[in-house]
Amino acid sequence: MPTDDDADSRYDEIMRRIANRQQAVPQSLDPVVRILNSLNVIEPLETMRRRRKLPILCYGPATKRKPDVIRVVVWYMPKGDMQAYKTLTLFGIWAVGEPANLEIIVGTRSLKYQASVYTPEAFWKLIRQDYATYYQDDGQPPQASSVLYQTSYSEERRLEIRQQIADVIQAWQDGLNSDP
């Protein structure tokens, strides 16, 4: 019959093994990613994607990176249109520049369908995970006419910017519902 000492040593051994297997989640060293996290840019986009009463099919969000731009976007197309796949629209937040001189941009970009053939079954399965298979995206921020909000980031204004981003996203969604 095992003793309490055997059970305690077995427990200690199991806990030691678990601790050795667990790896600490690496902290992002990228200060721009930290800034976007502090602005809470993903949560309002996730909330938008989950809204059922919007007149769009919305997927994401996803974080994409280019050397001078990081963006967090959802992608969408109108509901009920058989030709909707031809144009995909990105809605999101772009962070452009270096942390000391960072521009935060909220806006939309349209992407044209690039695949040579449209296969509905494959398209509707893959578009839920990512849009890169069917649409070419250079990662650049939206054109000036498609910018809904833009500001220079400063740590002192972080909470103000965070609220403004959430307000812009909410207003944009509300505008979708008010269209005829």
Side-chain angles (χ1 to χ4, degrees), residues 35-67:
I35 289 170
L36 288 174
N37 272 345
S38 75
L39 293 174
N40 192 34
V41 297
I42 292 179
E43 183 180 342
L45 293 176
E46 285 177 338
T47 302
M48 182 177 99
R49 179 190 47 87
R50 289 191 302 262
R51 281 187 63 183
R52 298 287 180 229
K53 297 191 189 253
L54 292 178
I56 58 174
L57 298 169
C58 189
Y59 307 103
T63 302
K64 307 276 185 174
R65 176 182 205 87
K66 290 286 182 181

Side-chain angles (χ1 to χ4, degrees), residues 16 29 38 52 59 66 68-69 79 124 163 165 170:
R16 186 187 61 75
L29 299 176
S38 75
R52 298 287 180 229
Y59 307 103
K66 290 286 182 181
D68 58 339
V69 178
K79 287 180 180 175
W124 290 108
Q163 185 60 51
I165 289 171
Q170 185 62 50

